[in-house]
Amino acid sequence: METRKVGSHTINIQRFNSVIVGAGAAGMNCAVHLCEFMRDKKVKNPGSRIAVVTRGIGLGASRMSGSDKQTYYKMGTSPDVPDSAVEFSNSLTAAGCCHGDLALAEGINSLREFYHLVQLGVPFPHDSMGSYVGYKTDNDPYERATSAGPKTSRFMSECLQTQAERYGVNIFDGQEVVQLLSIGSGISKRLAGVVTLDRNKSKGSDFTLNVYLCRNLVLAAGGPGELYETTVYPKGQVGIHGLAFEAGLAAENLTESQFGLASIKFRWNVSGTYMQVVPRIFSTDANSSDEQEFLTGFFPTMSKMATNIFLKGYQWPFDPQKIENLQSSLIDVLVFNETQKGRRVYMDFRQNPVPGPSMKSFDLNDLEQEALHYLKNTGAMQPTPIERLAHMNPLAIDIYKENGIDLYTEPLEIAVCAQHNNGGFAVNRWWESNIPGTFIIGEIAGTHGVKRPGGSALNAGQTGGLRAAEYIVNVYGPKPCDYDDKKIEERLRLCVEKLEKLVNSRSPLTPGKVMKDIRRRMTTSAGHIRQPDNAQRALADALSLYRNIESDGFQLDNKADLVDAVLARHLSLASVGYLKAIVTLLSQGSGSRGSHLVLADDGIQIHPDVIDKATGKPLRFKPENTELRSSILRIEYDSSESDLFRTKNVEPRPLPTERKAFEPAWQDYREGKIYSG
Ligand SMILES: Cc1cc2nc3c(=O)[nH]c(=O)nc-3n(C[C@H](O)[C@H](O)[C@H](O)COP(=O)(O)OP(=O)(O)OC[C@H]3O[C@@H](n4cnc5c(N)ncnc54)[C@H](O)[C@@H]3O)c2cc1C
């Protein structure tokens, strides 16, 4: 390690072949594959050439998030039902805006990655013949889903970490990324590494910066969880979208965030069996009194209401195309409406749904065929939801118990929460970004289209790590970086100046207040219910906030707050980028799609009794403009633009159809030609 002083600040510099930002399932997998590909090329001690840098090894969605049985979507492994990579990729591209080459790569590499995880010890269940049994998930026409229980992605990250440690990969914990170091310009521009604030050594009057230089940078910092107020992303999952924009990375499909019902005291998705056991759903006032069966007024019969609660289990997340005519996403709208009134909504597993005045009492045998058949098939005909849950999935009860909530004795508070972004930074078929040598994998990559089958995020993250690692080792090679010290020093001086400028005792802004504003604005204007004028106003407000931060900085109590100031600054830029994308897409007449609904006076009625407070008339939404399925909205930071970003529409790349005979394919492989496509 080299140590430098810039002003009064100590800067530690280390050099690697590859630096990975993020220690979730995607980042750790890439580290492991880099070692494996280097080992295959007879590189000694591959782990010493690789660094994983993270703000918290135990943070992020992979380590901290899940659901009743967190899903891993892979190609089918049933002994009877044939599946193919092309069929798999068709499921990924079905709702549009998804590049065909990425979808096909995710299909082709799906089983390789799945068995890689099996080999590393992730306990995916199989039967006595060794067959990995599947089930059906949302947007999944086959039974391609599997699960290792509520904590699938946690097991994945832990098993991968253990393997990375065996290889001797350097893991740097407690590192808050403050800048992606860019050098050069135009086509010779590269990202030479990252600068971090050491969270453990940045208290008091000084801060310590660490610099991780590399030939290849892999960004695996996850989704932008901290952008939202109502969110099921785990606390502390920030992402680095603002920093990536500033560094010149282009993003795609940022408009396609997913929202769904989740518990909020302990952040966890309530999909799958939590809904399939058909619990009572009720609301109270803010003080937990005045219980009301608020759903009952909107459904004609108990059977219809209870069946929709059941269907919400795998028709998840919120989907505007499943609202009309009493479908399951009407439940999300009604829950949201209730919370908008200042009321609190709960699921109660101790009781079956309670009927409204003109309804029959709940009876499992009155459920519609699909629900009744499923519950009978799984032997879940017990009298109460908690008994059905204990029968079908006791781990789903345990996970709440571990986190201080006893579903046997208390109801579970829920809301419609931000939970995933299908969009992110743009990549080619090797998961390389628009800046050569920088790769984007996992949730921060924009590889999904408008809709994705549940569980395909984890598959995409594994495939991305594999593809990036293969390309890095075979094309850029295993050598460490050798940048010109002067150029790096110059960039570091600018970085220190920027950090110092961020602190200003006369500024009216504090990081805490700014983050609160950003989150409220994003949840209100960029959530699952959108409206063009509202989004436009939110963009103007977000821009003005970012400009104020740039000119005035923050007032800080002590230097420990510097980390928060850095976060608030880059989240603020990220929120401008997201809102700009949303405003642009709305102006193109996109309508309601994916997991968001666009309100419109002349649109489709949600339900005669879901009323717009402003007009007193039923709320209506604009249907999807399906023409835009073949157009991906791409966005790049550009400080010369009036609202800091420029956008353009690109066509999704088609599914590659070239198939070669074995001998020519073998020759391409031997000669490394496979990396030039
Ligand atoms: C409640 C919930 C349920 C889900 N269920 C499913 C499911 O069933 N199936 C499925 O496929 N997907 C699911 N997802 C999505 C999936 O879990 C995530 O997309 C995936 O785990 C992301 O993995 P990742 O490695 O890309 O990022 P993460 O696991 O989020 O890791 C990000 C890493 O980057 C680090 N980091 C973040 N910001 C910074 C920063 N500023 N500086 C330094 N380091 C930083 C973090 O500390 C962490 O190490 C779910 C998500 C949620 C929230």
Side-chain angles (χ1 to χ4, degrees):
M1 178 159 63
E2 305 153 40
T3 301
R4 308 261 165 90
K5 277 270 182 202
V6 174
S8 62
H9 306 290
T10 311
I11 302 190
N12 304 312
I13 302 178
Q14 299 187 68
R15 291 165 203 268
F16 299 92
N17 168 267
S18 299
V19 166
I20 299 163
V21 180
M28 281 299 177
N29 184 49
C30 189
V32 169
H33 279 306
L34 279 167
C35 293
E36 288 165 349
F37 284 115
M38 286 190 193
R39 181 199 59 195
D40 295 346
K41 295 223 170 269
K42 313 278 182 260
V43 175
K44 291 217 174 84
N45 282 333
S48 65
R49 293 164 192 252
I50 297 157
V52 173
V53 176
T54 172
R55 79 189 303 254
I57 197 108
L59 300 178
S62 308
R63 306 274 174 158
M64 300 173 75
S65 297
S67 57
D68 72 313
K69 48 183 188 304
Q70 199 192 13
T71 301
Y72 190 95
Y73 189 76
K74 52 156 186 43
M75 247 175 68
T77 46
S78 155
D80 317 300
V81 184
D83 198 359
S84 75
V86 168
E87 284 296 318
F88 184 96
S89 53
N90 287 341
S91 303
L92 301 189
T93 57
C97 299
C98 182
H99 292 296
D101 53 357
L102 297 176
L104 188 62
E106 287 174 20
I108 288 171
N109 294 288
S110 161
L111 291 182
R112 177 173 176 181
E113 284 306 276
F114 174 67
Y115 290 120
H116 186 238
L117 293 168
V118 170
Q119 287 304 110
L120 292 178
V122 180
F124 288 114
H126 59 76
D127 66 15
S128 63
M129 294 299 292
S131 167
Y132 288 87
V133 185
Y135 60 93
K136 189 173 162 173
T137 170
D138 41 285
N139 301 317
D140 169 20
Y142 297 83
E143 293 192 340
R144 292 184 178 131
T146 184
S147 174
K151 300 177 193 168
T152 304
S153 58
R154 178 159 172 180
F155 293 152
M156 288 165 60
S157 333
E158 287 172 351
C159 291
L160 288 160
Q161 183 184 338
T162 305
Q163 185 67 359
E165 283 167 351
R166 277 189 207 117
Y167 283 125
V169 169
N170 302 277
I171 299 175
F172 298 98
D173 202 1
Q175 302 302 317
E176 188 67 51
V177 175
V178 296
Q179 191 168 346
L180 307 184
L181 264 186
S182 66
I183 52 169
S185 60
I187 53 165
S188 54
K189 178 169 177 168
R190 293 289 178 276
L191 297 185
V194 294
V195 183
T196 68
L197 259 178
D198 196 323
R199 291 171 71 93
N200 306 316
K201 296 186 190 156
S202 296
K203 296 192 172 65
S205 61
D206 205 0
F207 55 81
T208 297
L209 289 178
N210 292 325
V211 180
Y212 303 93
L213 295 177
C214 57
R215 188 174 285 262
N216 311 292
L217 181 63
V218 181
L219 302 183
E226 290 286 353
L227 270 184
Y228 300 91
E229 183 175 54
T230 312
T231 173
V232 62
Y233 279 96
K235 288 200 171 120
Q237 173 46 36
V238 184
I240 52 169
H241 292 67
L243 299 175
F245 277 136
E246 260 184 328
L249 293 163
E252 292 181 349
N253 281 333
L254 287 188
T255 49
E256 304 313 313
S257 294
Q258 286 191 336
F259 304 87
L261 292 171
S263 58
I264 50 179
K265 189 166 138 198
F266 162 54
R267 294 181 179 184
W268 206 249
N269 275 350
V270 290
S271 54
T273 36
Y274 291 119
M275 289 290 179
Q276 285 163 318
V277 299
V278 200
R280 173 191 178 210
I281 297 179
F282 70 98
S283 70
T284 70
D285 65 17
N287 305 317
S288 306
S289 340
D290 183 29
E291 288 188 11
Q292 289 181 14
E293 313 304 319
F294 68 97
L295 292 180
T296 57
F298 297 89
F299 290 94
T301 61
M302 170 58 83
S303 167
K304 192 81 199 158
M305 182 176 94
T307 300
N308 272 297
I309 295 175
F310 170 90
L311 290 174
K312 191 74 256 182
Y314 56 76
Q315 292 183 352
W316 200 94
F318 171 67
D319 180 347
Q321 281 146 7
K322 293 199 179 80
I323 294 179
E324 272 185 281
N325 302 322
L326 306 173
Q327 295 185 72
S328 63
S329 277
L330 177 59
I331 294 182
D332 306 60
V333 174
L334 299 176
V335 169
F336 179 71
N337 261 3
E338 207 62 8
T339 52
Q340 287 298 96
K341 292 180 207 156
R343 294 181 62 81
R344 304 169 73 173
V345 177
Y346 296 88
M347 290 165 87
D348 188 350
F349 293 88
R350 299 165 300 178
Q351 279 192 69
N352 289 311
V354 173
S358 58
M359 276 180 177
K360 272 174 72 182
S361 296
F362 176 80
D363 181 343
L364 274 179
N365 291 300
D366 290 340
L367 287 173
E368 290 175 12
Q369 260 319 301
E370 186 174 357
L372 183 59
H373 179 73
Y374 184 95
L375 292 177
K376 277 192 170 158
N377 240 358
T378 45
M381 295 296 284
Q382 293 74 9
T384 62
I386 192 71
E387 289 167 283
R388 297 193 279 276
L389 191 57
H391 169 77
M392 281 211 277
N393 188 353
L395 301 184
I397 300 174
D398 296 347
I399 184 80
Y400 278 104
K401 188 93 193 177
E402 282 168 32
N403 289 282
I405 298 173
D406 182 358
L407 298 184
Y408 282 96
T409 59
E410 59 189 306
L412 187 63
E413 188 169 3
I414 58 169
V416 182
C417 295
Q419 78 107 27
H420 186 265
N421 190 202
N422 282 359
F425 290 92
V427 292
N428 68 13
R429 61 171 63 183
W430 291 100
W431 270 251
E432 191 171 27
S433 69
N434 58 311
I435 301 181
T438 294
F439 295 78
I440 322 269
I441 62 170
E443 191 173 333
I444 188 177
T447 55
H448 305 288
V450 167
K451 281 187 189 174
R452 63 174 178 87
S456 57
L458 293 177
N459 178 68
Q462 298 304 285
T463 304
L466 168 76
R467 298 282 289 170
E470 179 174 351
Y471 195 85
I472 286 172
V473 175
N474 286 284
V475 177
Y476 296 127
K479 285 192 191 147
C481 58
D482 52 359
Y483 295 112
D484 172 354
D485 274 7
K486 283 225 172 70
K487 271 193 194 150
I488 299 292
E489 261 176 40
E490 192 185 301
R491 304 297 300 162
L492 291 177
R493 195 155 289 123
L494 290 175
C495 177
V496 167
E497 273 172 29
K498 208 158 148 186
L499 283 174
E500 286 177 337
K501 204 179 142 211
L502 212 49
V503 184
N504 171 8
S505 59
R506 290 180 311 281
S507 169
L509 302 171
T510 62
K513 162 92 176 59
V514 163
M515 295 220 253
K516 217 167 166 183
D517 281 359
I518 295 169
R519 289 175 186 142
R520 181 147 303 157
R521 185 176 302 118
M522 288 298 288
T523 284
T524 313
S525 307
H528 68 296
I529 297 189
R530 299 180 187 171
Q531 207 266 337
D533 292 345
N534 184 15
Q536 186 69 59
R537 270 194 306 276
L539 172 60
D541 291 347
L543 257 170
S544 138
L545 177 64
Y546 178 71
R547 291 215 160 96
N548 288 342
I549 295 171
E550 285 301 84
S551 64
D552 298 342
F554 291 101
Q555 190 191 122
L556 302 184
D557 291 339
N558 60 57
K559 284 275 161 115
D561 287 344
L562 187 60
V563 168
D564 292 337
V566 168
L567 292 182
R569 183 184 164 278
H570 70 75
L571 277 171
S572 165
L573 182 61
S575 82
V576 176
Y578 271 79
L579 283 162
K580 170 71 184 176
I582 287 171
V583 166
T584 307
L585 190 73
L586 290 173
S587 74
Q588 293 175 354
S590 58
S592 308
R593 69 183 201 184
S595 193
H596 66 264
L597 176 150
V598 179
L599 295 175
D601 292 343
D602 56 352
I604 300 168
Q605 186 174 286
I606 292 176
H607 184 287
D609 298 331
V610 175
I611 302 297
D612 181 348
K613 262 199 278 177
T615 63
K617 292 185 185 153
L619 262 186
R620 293 176 174 273
F621 68 97
K622 190 179 167 81
E624 181 190 2
N625 172 357
T626 50
E627 277 179 25
L628 288 177
R629 286 185 179 188
S630 51
S631 168
I632 292 177
L633 186 73
R634 191 173 164 107
I635 181 161
E636 274 178 79
Y637 175 71
D638 180 347
S639 58
S640 68
E641 290 283 326
S642 59
D643 40 20
L644 296 178
F645 285 88
R646 64 170 183 271
T647 60
K648 70 172 179 184
N649 289 72
V650 295
E651 256 184 61
R653 299 186 294 269
L655 204 87
T657 50
E658 188 193 42
R659 310 281 184 262
K660 285 194 173 172
F662 182 77
E663 280 73 12
W666 187 13
Q667 185 176 1
D668 285 357
Y669 174 77
R670 286 196 313 269
E671 293 173 0
K673 286 189 185 149
I674 57 167
Y675 302 112
S676 53

